Amino acid sequence: MNDQTTSRPPEQPHTRTPHPAVAGDPAPLGLAGFALTTLLLSVINTNLLKESAAVIPVLSLALFYGGLAQFAAGLFEFRRGNTFGATAFVSYGAFWLAYWWLAPRLEIAGGAHNALGLFLLGWGIFTAYMAVAALRVNLAVLAVLVLLTITFVLLAVGAFQGGAPPHAATQVGGWFGIATGLVAWYASAATVINDTHGRPVLPVGQRRPNRTSEAVAGFEPT
C-alpha cells in the first residue's frame, strides 16, 4: 500500500493591517488658531484696545482655539509624518495653553517681569530656529516665523523693562504681532483653499514647486 502524503500550503506570515492614512491636512486649522489668537492679543499689546477685560476673550481663544485646537493639529501632523508641522503646532499650542494659565496669575501676583522676559525670549529662540527650518517649507510660513521671532524679542524687551505698561517695545511688538497673525491667516486660507480646489489658487511661495501635492498643501518641508 502506497502512503499518500498531503502537501499543506506554507503558512503565510501574519501581516498587520496598516493604519489608514490621515486624509485631511491639519495645517489650516493650526495656522488659523494661531492667527486669530495672536491677532487679538497683539491688538491689546499695541494699546489700541484699552478695555480692562479685553484679555478675557484672548484667554478663551488661548485655551480652546490657539491652544487645544492647534495642539490637536500638531498631533495629526505627527500622524502624517510631518516633523516640522508637528513641532510647530504642538509647541505653539502649548504656548497658548501656558499663556492661558500664566496670564491671570501674573496679573494677581505681579513682580515677575524678568521671568516673563526670559519666557518670551526662550520662545523667540525657538521660533528663530523654526524659521531656519521653514526655509525648506514655503515663503508664507517663513514670513510668519520671521515676524513672530521679531515679535517675541520685542515683547521680551518690553517685559525686561519693568515698570508700568505699556512699554514702547511691547507696543511695537504688538504691531509685529498683528502682521504675524495676518500672514498666518493668509497661509491658513491659502492652504485650505488650494486643497479644496486641488490646485494652487493663492500662492504661498513653495520652495520646490514641481510637486503638486505639496504645492497644494503648502506646509510640508521639501
Side-chain angles (χ1 to χ4, degrees):
M1 183 175 64
N2 296 330
D3 293 332
Q4 293 182 350
T5 58
T6 303
S7 60
R8 301 175 65 182
E11 294 184 0
Q12 298 295 325
H14 178 70
T15 57
R16 292 184 177 180
T17 303
H19 294 289
V22 178
D25 186 357
L29 170 62
L31 286 165
F34 172 83
L36 182 55
T37 315
T38 301
L39 272 170
L40 190 52
L41 178 59
S42 296
V43 170
I44 296 174
N45 285 335
T46 60
N47 207 33
L48 290 175
L49 193 61
K50 299 180 175 66
E51 295 174 341
S52 58
V55 74
I56 295 177
V58 178
L59 291 176
S60 66
L61 284 173
L63 175 58
F64 292 107
Y65 200 25
L68 293 177
Q70 188 176 185
F71 195 95
L75 295 181
F76 279 110
E77 290 285 15
F78 272 122
R79 180 68 180 80
R80 287 161 56 92
N82 183 1
T83 302
F84 176 86
T87 304
F89 290 142
V90 170
S91 295
Y92 292 120
F95 166 81
W96 285 116
L97 291 171
Y99 178 83
W100 166 79
W101 189 90
L102 187 66
R105 288 159 178 81
L106 283 178
E107 186 69 23
I108 295 172
H113 64 93
N114 286 327
L116 180 61
L118 289 173
F119 174 81
L120 294 168
L121 184 59
W123 281 103
I125 294 170
F126 167 76
T127 305
Y129 74 70
M130 290 299 290
V132 175
L135 290 168
R136 295 292 294 166
V137 181
N138 61 55
L139 295 181
V141 173
L142 176 62
V144 170
L145 293 173
V146 169
L147 289 169
L148 184 59
T149 301
I150 299 171
T151 301
F152 274 130
V153 170
L154 288 169
L155 294 179
V157 171
F160 282 131
Q161 287 177 347
H167 305 294
T170 301
Q171 289 181 282
V172 176
W175 287 107
F176 273 94
I178 290 174
T180 302
L182 291 175
V183 177
W185 238 349
Y186 173 84
S188 173
T191 307
V192 72
I193 290 171
N194 293 350
D195 183 73
T196 53
H197 283 261
R199 61 185 178 85
V201 177
L202 296 176
V204 293
Q206 200 66 34
R207 301 300 294 164
R208 198 166 73 191
N210 292 328
R211 297 180 63 180
T212 304
S213 62
E214 290 182 1
V216 172
F219 202 77
E220 296 184 6
T222 56

